């Protein structure tokens, strides 16, 4: 009887493994164990469909996540230096990622490499039709510093080099008409390969460190003055209004909503300011609790997710309802108090309407370096090494953590 039972179990296990490994069956499900990034997320982007996101980590990897499952299903390797930016093409068929000396163009969702491009700092910009990728490319004629170069996304071939145009690292924005480039404090016409002039606000020339553009508006931020100026295109000789930010917060990124009604400004350490584009008035001030905030109090009745790091990057969902931002959060209060600090590195989703956090997902990378069992064999002590180091005391009878030091 026992032999028959073992035979049945063996055949069942074999059948399950065969089905799981057979890609031809469309109805088969793939089990994915989420590990997440081993180090902080530095950049991210939403797929135009809203079904996927891509993240870039300090661990030199890219990860594609399924939003419905909140699971990573593909990890991309290819960078040897710190990744600075990652983004989807507007049609969602390509991913571009940038480090200091290289840009990689990937096919989505396969994760295959279309082209590795030698670059020098700068940024990465897809044209609105997704046919071209603009980078600060190093070519035989550009010299070490490189020039603005356009590559074909389909073939990876070099299409055009714009000599003497250096693509800014953080302040460059490409208009959806694929002709106007706002770069290094100038308004450039790429078709004519010439500068259309400088921008003016309050009758003075404007210099910026960050910018964003929509079909109808352009916005710039100057780190020195701490001000944001907004223009209505194509009149760039007179700004529409100037925004003086509260508390002189350092701006990390700015985005126009897809419906053209709001400008969202993300600041350090973790704050989102929502302005009405028509009036320039602040309509929402979203501040998420920070672990280092002296006024923050632990709630013993409720577990809370609190930001431990700072804002690196954020994007908006295609429907403008959700802010997606990098996350390094810790769970404290409630049951989490017994466990100690549990750190999760990944992404967090914030509801734009009410400013509340919807959820956090990612991975918790850690390893057990050493362990020891008590003489009574009732407790297990483990030394944990990972994002948060410490000693855990386990109750072997219950399988729960009793303390974390």
């Amino acid at each position: 009887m026992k032999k028959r039972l073992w035979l049945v179990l063996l055949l069942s296990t074999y059948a399950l493994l065969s089905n799981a490994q057979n890609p031809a069956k469309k109805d088969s499900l793939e089990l994915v164990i989420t590990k997440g990034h081993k180090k902080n997320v530095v950049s991210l982007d939403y797929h135009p469909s809203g079904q996927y996101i891509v993240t870039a980590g300090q661990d030199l990897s890219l990860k594609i996540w399924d939003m419905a499952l909140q699971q990573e299903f593909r990890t991309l390797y290819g960078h040897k230096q710190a990744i600075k930016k990652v983004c989807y093409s507007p049609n969602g068929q390509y991913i571009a990622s940038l480090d200091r000396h290289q840009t990689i163009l990937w096919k989505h969702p396969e994760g295959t490499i279309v082209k590795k491009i030698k670059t020098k700092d700068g940024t990465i910009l897809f044209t609105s039709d997704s046919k071209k990728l603009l980078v600060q490319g190093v070519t035989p004629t550009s010299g070490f510093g490189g020039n603005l170069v356009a590559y074909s996304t389909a073939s990876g071939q070099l299409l055009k080099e714009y000599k003497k145009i250096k693509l800014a690292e953080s302040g460059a924005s490409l208009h959806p008409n694929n002709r106007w480039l706002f770069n290094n404090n100038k308004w450039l016409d790429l078709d004519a390969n010439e500068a259309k002039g400088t921008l003016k606000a309050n009758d003075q020339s404007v210099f910026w460190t960050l910018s964003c553009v929509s079909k109808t508006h352009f916005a710039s931020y100057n780190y020195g003055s701490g001000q944001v100026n907004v223009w209505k295109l194509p009149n760039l000789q007179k700004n529409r209004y100037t925004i003086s930010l509260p508390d002189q917060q350092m701006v990390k990124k700015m985005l126009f909503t897809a419906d053209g009604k709001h400008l969202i400004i993300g600041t350090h350490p973790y704050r989102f300011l929502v302005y009405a584009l028509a009036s320039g008035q602040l309509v929402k001030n979203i501040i998420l609790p920070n672990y280092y905030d002296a006024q923050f109090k632990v709630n013993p009745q409720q577990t809370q997710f609190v930001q431990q790091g700072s804002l690196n990057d954020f994007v908006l969902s295609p429907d403008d309802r959700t802010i997606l931002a990098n996350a390094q959060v810790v769970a404290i209060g409630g049951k989490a108090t017994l466990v100690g600090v549990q750190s999760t590195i990944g992404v967090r989703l914030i509801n734009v309407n009410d400013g509340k956090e919807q959820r956090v997902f990612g991975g918790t990378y850690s390893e057990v370096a050493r362990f020891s069992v008590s003489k009574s064999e009732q407790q297990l002590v483990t030394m944990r090494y990972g994002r948060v180091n410490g000693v855990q005391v386990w109750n072997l009878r219950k399988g729960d953590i009793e303390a974390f030091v």
Side-chain angles (χ1 to χ4, degrees):
M1 183 67 182
K2 291 183 177 179
K3 290 183 178 180
R4 291 182 179 178
L5 180 59
W6 278 108
L7 182 59
V8 171
L9 290 174
L10 182 62
L11 291 174
S12 300
T13 304
Y14 176 78
L16 288 172
L17 290 174
S18 299
N19 289 335
Q21 295 175 358
N22 184 4
K25 292 190 175 184
K26 296 182 179 179
D27 296 332
S28 62
L29 297 177
E30 181 182 2
L31 177 63
V32 181
I33 299 175
T34 299
K35 294 182 179 179
H37 289 282
K38 295 181 180 180
K39 294 184 180 180
N40 288 345
V41 172
V42 295
S43 182
L44 45 82
D45 198 14
Y46 246 115
H47 190 271
S49 68
Q51 183 178 354
Y52 305 99
I53 62 169
V54 61
T55 56
Q58 290 179 339
D59 56 5
L60 306 185
S61 72
L62 303 177
K63 292 186 181 291
I64 302 175
W65 303 73
D66 186 297
M67 290 297 293
L69 299 176
Q70 297 180 31
Q71 294 276 347
E72 60 175 281
F73 74 93
R74 183 150 291 135
T75 301
L76 310 180
Y77 295 102
H79 286 277
K80 296 181 180 180
Q81 294 185 334
I83 305 171
K84 299 194 295 184
K85 183 179 179 180
V86 65
C87 62
Y88 274 110
S89 60
N91 65 5
Q93 296 181 13
Y94 301 96
I95 296 171
S97 55
L98 166 76
D99 64 37
R100 185 178 180 185
H101 294 298
Q102 181 178 238
T103 296
I104 302 180
L105 179 63
W106 313 79
K107 195 77 172 67
H108 175 86
E110 300 91 329
T112 55
I113 295 177
V114 178
K115 180 74 174 180
K116 287 187 176 181
I117 305 169
K118 187 177 181 181
T119 53
K120 182 65 170 67
D121 295 321
T123 187
I124 42 180
L125 299 169
F126 281 106
T127 54
S128 59
D129 58 9
S130 301
K131 293 182 178 181
K132 299 178 184 178
L133 174 66
L134 303 184
V135 298
Q136 180 68 12
V138 177
T139 68
T141 60
S142 69
F144 177 76
N147 284 323
L148 174 63
V149 178
Y151 281 86
S152 166
T153 53
S155 65
Q157 297 298 312
L158 190 153
L159 299 176
K160 186 174 182 179
E161 180 176 355
Y162 299 85
K163 295 184 178 180
K164 298 183 180 180
I165 297 181
K166 308 295 182 182
L167 196 58
E169 187 169 348
S170 60
S173 294
L174 181 65
H175 190 272
N177 65 12
N178 301 325
R179 180 174 180 172
W180 297 343
L181 176 67
F182 301 92
N183 178 64
N184 285 327
N185 308 312
K186 292 181 180 179
W187 176 19
L188 304 174
D189 187 326
L190 294 181
D191 287 353
N193 198 16
E194 64 181 14
K196 292 181 70 66
T198 58
L199 281 68
K200 290 188 177 181
N202 306 318
D203 297 325
Q204 294 183 349
S205 297
V206 175
F207 302 93
W208 66 81
T209 49
L210 286 174
S211 70
C212 63
V213 67
S214 68
K215 289 182 178 180
T216 58
H217 289 80
F218 174 75
S220 72
Y221 164 72
N222 183 284
Y223 173 75
S225 65
Q227 294 181 332
V228 174
N229 286 292
V230 179
W231 291 262
K232 187 173 182 180
L233 300 175
N235 183 13
L236 295 174
Q237 294 302 304
K238 184 177 182 181
N239 63 318
R240 191 169 183 181
Y241 48 78
T242 298
I243 298 174
S244 296
L245 300 175
D247 305 328
Q248 295 184 342
Q249 295 287 323
M250 187 192 329
V251 175
K252 302 294 290 187
K253 189 175 183 178
M254 304 186 299
L255 287 175
F256 289 109
T257 55
D259 62 10
K261 294 181 180 180
H262 298 93
L263 171 66
I264 300 182
I265 302 174
T267 70
H268 177 84
Y270 226 94
R271 186 178 190 177
F272 301 97
L273 305 169
V274 183
Y275 289 88
L277 196 54
S279 62
Q281 297 298 312
L282 180 65
V283 293
K284 286 188 180 69
N285 186 359
I286 302 173
I287 303 176
L288 297 182
N290 191 285
Y291 187 73
Y292 303 105
D293 189 348
Q295 298 180 352
F296 179 77
K297 295 182 180 180
V298 176
N299 184 351
Q301 305 298 325
Q302 183 180 8
T303 301
Q304 294 175 277
F305 288 105
V306 182
Q307 181 68 18
Q308 191 177 23
S310 61
L311 180 66
N312 292 326
D313 193 13
F314 79 95
V315 290
L316 286 170
S317 60
D319 59 8
D320 291 334
R321 296 180 179 179
T322 306
I323 295 173
L324 180 74
N326 69 287
Q328 181 184 356
V329 299
V330 291
I332 60 174
K335 294 182 179 180
T337 305
L338 298 176
V339 181
V341 178
Q342 177 66 48
S343 179
T344 299
I345 292 179
V347 295
R348 65 196 306 178
L349 287 82
I350 304 109
N351 187 296
V352 176
N353 290 329
D354 58 19
K356 294 182 179 179
E357 190 167 63
Q358 295 175 326
R359 58 186 184 270
V360 177
F361 64 90
T364 53
Y365 171 76
S366 63
E367 297 177 354
V368 175
R370 298 178 182 177
F371 70 92
S372 178
V373 180
S374 64
K375 291 184 178 180
S376 63
E377 297 184 352
Q378 293 184 359
Q379 292 175 316
L380 172 69
V381 179
T382 60
M383 180 177 291
R384 175 183 167 188
Y385 172 79
R387 291 167 183 153
V388 179
N389 303 326
V391 176
Q392 295 170 316
V393 180
W394 297 78
N395 186 313
L396 292 178
R397 299 292 184 266
K398 298 180 179 179
D400 295 332
I401 296 177
E402 292 184 339
F404 179 90
V405 181

